[in-house]
Amino acid sequence: MVTPESLRDTATGVKVGVLTSGGDAQGMNAAVRAVVRTCLFAGAQPYAIMEGYQGLTVGGAGIRPFAWDDASGILNRGGTVIGTFRSRDFQTREGMLKAACNLVTQGIDRLVVIGGDGSLTGLDEFASHWGSLLDDLVAQGRITDDQRQAHPRLIHAGLVGSIDNDLVGTSLTVGVDSALHRIQEAIDAIASTAASHQRCFVVEVMGRNCGYLALSTAVSGGCDYVLLPELPPEDGWEQAMCDQLRRSRLAGRKDSIVILAEGATTRAGEPISAEHVRSTIETELGEETRVTILGHVQRGGTPSAYDRWSATWLGYEAATYVLSATGEEPGPVFGFHGEQVIQVPLVRAVADTRSVPQLIKAGKYDQAMALRGEEFADLARIFQELSDPVRTQANPADLRIGIIHVGALAPGMNTAAKTAVWLGISRGFTMVGIRDGFLGLAAGDMTELTWKAVDGWNQEGGAVLGTRRHVPKVEELYAISRSLESAGIQALVVIGGWNAYAGVQLLNDERSRYPGLQIPIVCVPAGIDNNLPGTSMSIGADAALNVVVDCIDKVKMSASATQRCFVIETMGRDCGYLALMGGLAGGAEQVYLHETGITLQGLQSDFDWLRSSIDTHGRSFFLAVRNVRAKANYTTKVLAHMLDEEGRGRYDTRTLTIGHIQQGGAPTPADRLLATRLTDAAMTQLASQLSTGDRAVHCVGWYDNEIRLTDITEAMKSTDRKRQRPNDQWWLGLKGILDCVNREVV
């Protein structure tokens, strides 16, 4: 594996340019920072190209060397600190000649571009013409032949910074998650005022040719109707929309929200305006209807935790690529496939992305949807079912499915429960809510859940049904079995954390002795520690991580007027996910994890580095993030005392234990979407098992960009049960990236 350390012999003196182009997207600054600092760590010299491709053509101060501190303090800033510009000059032959001349004159022949498909297309064209451009420059006397020979190729890589999430072949582009945060905040606020007045709202969101923002918002916000570019509505859609809104009101909803993607059209290609939707609803339903066009607020504001750590990872990978590549292979675009960074051929990615609008125009909607990926298709299918309160399937046997929360609280538990209820009712089941975990189940504390009863749960924090950490003992299984039998529950959805999985494993192990336990069960992972088997992400972990990063931002602000060290303690028990990802996204210089431990030798190295950084580089702030169980004897207070002692008056040291606020608050859009997809898979599995008589017990998870079901016993075999975490944790490898981009070599 290529690392910055392994490149130091060959990268020293190499010059790399980085630019942002096209529309801005939250997280661009994190990517720029990562490119700059990875280059510096490897011994190369990064150059920031100001104002996008326009800076390339203008040259001079538009191409400037960047030092470590030039990329400081930008992780939490929206927009792009090096500017962006939709340059027309660069699109001409003369503009590209100027750009090539400016780069070669500076000795730069490696370039990382962060932008949309237009920006990446420009990069590919520039690179493909590099040789002929330099030949013309030599012929014109603008560069020498020696300069031409020294830079035979433009080695390049692209990152997609676009809130539209329209790059075919990748999961999420830089800026999408933050945009969803902005939209979701607005939708949640609108829902409360709409319910107060029993009013309808039409909300227009961005997404020219891609409806990802609109569709994701419709699902996570619990909205009633959505209009997407990829699925133009059939003729008479206005009546169908109003009929659906009417059914929701009759089912008990007090508010109605229609989401409109700005690029939505009819099948004839006519744009659908928010005003047309508004007037249609008012005319047909006689309801007061308002329009909210969110506009560029979706691009602005502080980037989410995801857009910080993911953009950092992408920037790191792009920088190591251009420092190690020969230029003989086509330049790639770096993006995510699930929880892994992948390289997509730039030319193919852009061509596939640009083919989607053409497929839509040609009426090939299935092909357009297929290019958008499995998640998009899943969300479209699930939304269609969630948005209609009418039962679509008969259930003459009155099959009953129970829903129970077990373990520590996690934001998104309510979203999962509501999804289970609405999908269950749609599919003909009677849904039964079990209060207060296994204790409530043993006591028979349960109630039938209706469509109206759970309306609005998707945006609520906490767990309306209640949750307990209690894992049943063998002697409690008889009461649990009898309770399930008495209530006529034939299947069970268990939403929760490690204790949920341990309890279900016990039920599975002992089921031969108790008839009531011989039912299909599916565990849905919900826990902020992100330590559950069979999944790379758990519901609630993203919300908790955003709390950690928000606290780090505020701590940094509080320390800006003095020299100070902070040690921040996160939750997570023996799993360091929140500590590491929070440190990476928040810019911490060090993280202390249970997985990697703490040693006196390592601490001494940290103290020596800190003193040197303060004395020789003028450092005024140091941040360490400690997982609550990183090491029993090296507590947060002990680390703070040691920092104080070793600092010898150079700085003050403070501590912050974030505590249970990491479990509180509303679930993020990512947690809501994950909860929806995982619960859909769980309900589909239970329906299949009930129809065939299969009584197996599974857990559902998201792994490698797929929803997977795993036998509970097999899943638990892949874990360290004593430490309550998976044996293989994909995020642990990011510790090396944190050391590279957050900790300056002194």
Side-chain angles (χ1 to χ4, degrees):
M1 178 181 177
V2 177
T3 63
E5 294 94 335
S6 67
L7 293 172
R8 280 180 178 159
D9 291 338
T10 57
T12 301
V14 172
K15 298 179 179 180
V16 178
V18 58
L19 66 84
T20 53
S21 178
D24 62 299
Q26 305 98 318
M28 279 184 164
N29 285 328
V32 169
R33 175 180 178 273
V35 171
V36 167
R37 291 188 167 182
T38 302
C39 289
L40 291 170
F41 192 90
Q45 175 57 61
Y47 282 75
I49 299 165
M50 315 304 290
E51 314 305 333
Y53 287 117
Q54 190 68 11
L56 273 187
T57 61
V58 173
I63 304 175
R64 62 183 72 165
F66 250 40
W68 186 272
D69 288 343
D70 291 319
S72 295
I74 65 174
L75 258 179
N76 65 330
R77 293 176 61 180
T80 164
V81 296
I82 62 174
T84 182
F85 196 90
R86 301 184 190 274
S87 175
R88 293 186 178 181
D89 293 341
F90 182 75
Q91 298 173 18
T92 66
R93 177 76 177 180
E94 179 56 32
M96 287 193 178
L97 283 168
K98 290 179 181 178
C101 182
N102 289 328
L103 287 177
V104 170
T105 301
Q106 294 268 24
I108 302 170
D109 58 7
R110 297 159 199 257
L111 192 60
V112 177
V113 172
I114 307 160
D117 60 354
S119 302
L120 298 181
T121 299
L123 172 63
D124 177 66
E125 186 175 355
F126 186 41
S128 64
H129 289 94
W130 180 261
S132 67
L133 291 170
L134 265 57
D135 289 340
D136 286 357
L137 291 173
V138 171
Q140 296 170 15
R142 295 159 73 175
I143 64 172
T144 67
D145 189 58
D146 287 344
Q147 288 176 311
R148 168 70 177 86
Q149 298 305 318
H151 305 287
R153 299 180 184 87
L154 179 67
I155 300 172
H156 60 286
L159 306 181
V160 182
S162 168
I163 69 169
D164 291 345
N165 199 36
D166 56 352
L167 184 75
V168 173
T170 62
S171 305
L172 283 182
T173 56
V174 175
V176 174
D177 188 66
S178 300
L180 282 175
H181 275 249
R182 300 293 92 76
I183 299 169
Q184 197 62 70
E185 290 165 4
I187 294 296
D188 287 351
I190 286 170
S192 61
T193 188
S196 298
H197 295 275
Q198 297 195 33
R199 185 177 285 167
C200 184
F201 271 83
V202 180
V203 181
E204 181 181 303
V205 302
M206 286 184 167
R208 292 170 301 166
N209 297 309
C210 181
Y212 183 84
L213 289 179
L215 178 57
S216 298
T217 299
V219 172
S220 65
C223 301
D224 298 270
Y225 201 82
V226 65
L227 292 156
L228 308 172
E230 292 85 354
L231 289 172
E234 298 180 359
D235 292 344
W237 63 270
E238 293 95 339
Q239 187 61 51
M241 174 185 68
C242 291
D243 288 345
Q244 184 153 313
L245 296 179
R246 188 180 290 109
R247 287 194 295 271
S248 293
R249 286 302 178 89
L250 290 173
R253 297 203 75 171
K254 291 185 176 182
D255 63 292
S256 301
I257 299 178
V258 175
I259 304 295
L260 171 68
E262 64 179 348
T265 66
T266 65
R267 298 208 167 186
E270 295 295 325
I272 298 174
S273 70
E275 177 56 30
H276 175 64
V277 177
R278 184 203 66 78
S279 63
T280 298
I281 295 171
E282 283 203 344
T283 301
E284 290 293 321
L285 300 183
E287 285 194 8
E288 191 176 11
T289 306
R290 296 286 186 269
V291 170
T292 298
I293 298 177
L294 295 180
H296 283 75
V297 69
Q298 296 160 85
R299 292 189 185 278
T302 302
S304 67
Y306 177 86
D307 274 327
R308 299 192 204 186
W309 69 254
S310 65
T312 296
W313 190 357
L314 291 174
Y316 169 90
E317 295 288 353
T320 48
Y321 172 84
V322 298
L323 288 172
S324 60
T326 63
E328 296 177 357
E329 58 282 329
V333 175
F334 285 87
F336 278 94
H337 182 79
E339 69 285 351
Q340 296 298 324
V341 172
I342 59 170
Q343 297 182 32
V344 181
L346 190 155
V347 176
R348 190 186 76 195
V350 171
D352 286 346
T353 299
R354 293 192 165 185
S355 71
V356 174
Q358 300 305 316
L359 290 171
I360 296 171
K361 187 176 181 180
K364 299 178 180 179
Y365 308 125
D366 289 344
Q367 293 180 40
M369 290 288 289
L371 285 176
R372 288 288 182 235
E374 184 178 349
E375 180 190 7
F376 194 93
D378 269 358
L379 292 178
R381 172 185 56 78
I382 295 168
F383 177 77
Q384 190 65 34
E385 195 170 1
L386 287 176
S387 59
D388 199 328
V390 176
R391 177 175 291 195
T392 59
Q393 300 175 28
N395 182 8
D398 189 30
L399 295 174
R400 298 163 68 82
I401 297 178
I403 304 169
I404 184 173
H405 298 312
V406 178
L409 185 66
M413 280 182 159
N414 283 328
T415 308
K418 175 206 166 179
T419 301
V421 172
W422 278 18
L423 291 179
I425 290 172
S426 172
R427 298 170 188 182
F429 300 107
T430 297
M431 305 304 296
V432 179
I434 300 164
R435 300 187 182 93
D436 295 327
F438 285 119
L439 289 174
L441 177 57
D445 188 2
M446 56 188 76
T447 184
E448 183 176 330
L449 295 174
T450 64
W451 195 91
K452 181 180 178 181
V454 299
D455 184 24
W457 281 18
N458 57 290
Q459 67 191 51
E460 290 189 27
V464 177
L465 289 174
T467 183
R468 300 286 287 273
R469 294 177 183 268
H470 180 75
V471 177
K473 300 178 177 61
V474 172
E475 54 267 28
E476 296 174 287
L477 296 184
Y478 176 77
I480 290 174
S481 175
R482 289 292 299 155
S483 183
L484 289 169
E485 285 185 283
S486 298
I489 292 176
Q490 291 108 336
L492 198 60
V493 179
V494 182
I495 303 163
W498 189 270
N499 289 355
Y501 283 62
V504 169
Q505 179 69 71
L506 176 64
L507 266 59
N508 187 50
D509 292 342
E510 300 291 332
R511 64 190 337 201
S512 62
R513 300 167 54 196
Y514 303 100
L517 303 184
Q518 297 170 17
I519 59 175
I521 304 172
V522 177
C523 285
V524 177
I528 68 169
D529 298 346
N530 199 33
N531 64 333
L532 299 175
T535 188
S536 62
M537 283 299 297
S538 299
I539 299 162
D542 184 69
L545 182 58
N546 275 276
V547 171
V548 172
V549 172
D550 184 56
C551 287
I552 289 175
D553 286 349
K554 289 180 171 61
V555 161
K556 285 186 171 183
M557 195 178 301
S558 75
S560 61
T562 185
Q563 287 186 306
R564 183 164 288 176
C565 291
F566 256 95
V567 182
I568 292 180
E569 181 183 298
T570 69
M571 298 176 83
R573 301 171 69 87
D574 291 342
C575 178
Y577 176 83
L578 290 177
L580 177 55
M581 303 305 276
L584 183 61
E589 284 77 19
Q590 184 58 284
V591 295
Y592 298 114
L593 315 173
H594 185 275
E595 289 87 346
T596 55
I598 305 175
T599 64
L600 189 58
Q601 183 180 5
L603 289 174
Q604 189 60 57
S605 176
D606 289 342
F607 301 149
D608 292 342
W609 174 86
L610 181 55
R611 281 195 299 269
S612 178
S613 183
I614 289 172
D615 294 343
T616 62
H617 291 263
R619 173 175 292 278
S620 62
F621 180 76
F622 171 80
L623 173 64
V625 180
R626 177 184 176 273
N627 168 236
V628 62
R629 289 188 180 177
K631 199 74 171 180
N633 291 325
Y634 291 118
T635 65
T636 299
K637 287 187 177 180
V638 167
L639 291 179
H641 289 320
M642 295 177 76
L643 280 165
D644 251 344
E645 184 68 26
E646 293 293 323
R648 298 164 193 168
R650 289 176 175 85
Y651 48 77
D652 297 325
T653 305
R654 298 287 186 271
T655 64
L656 173 65
T657 299
I658 301 177
H660 284 78
I661 63 170
Q662 292 162 91
Q663 294 179 318
T668 60
D671 280 328
R672 300 186 199 189
L673 295 174
L674 182 63
T676 300
R677 293 188 70 202
L678 292 179
T679 306
D680 166 68
M683 293 298 297
T684 301
Q685 177 66 22
L686 291 178
S688 173
Q689 290 185 231
L690 286 171
S691 67
T692 61
D694 181 3
R695 300 174 180 178
V697 178
H698 297 88
C699 59
V700 64
W702 185 79
Y703 197 85
D704 198 22
N705 210 41
E706 294 179 354
I707 303 295
R708 298 182 182 179
L709 281 140
T710 311
D711 177 85
I712 188 68
T713 302
E714 290 303 311
M716 293 298 281
K717 286 179 181 178
S718 65
T719 66
D720 181 341
R721 298 193 70 165
K722 179 181 178 182
R723 300 299 182 191
Q724 297 187 2
R725 67 190 185 209
N727 294 327
D728 181 22
Q729 299 183 99
W730 62 270
W731 47 267
L732 266 179
L734 301 186
K735 176 63 165 65
I737 298 178
L738 181 145
D739 294 339
C740 172
V741 302
N742 287 4
R743 186 159 169 152
E744 184 179 12
V745 177
V746 297

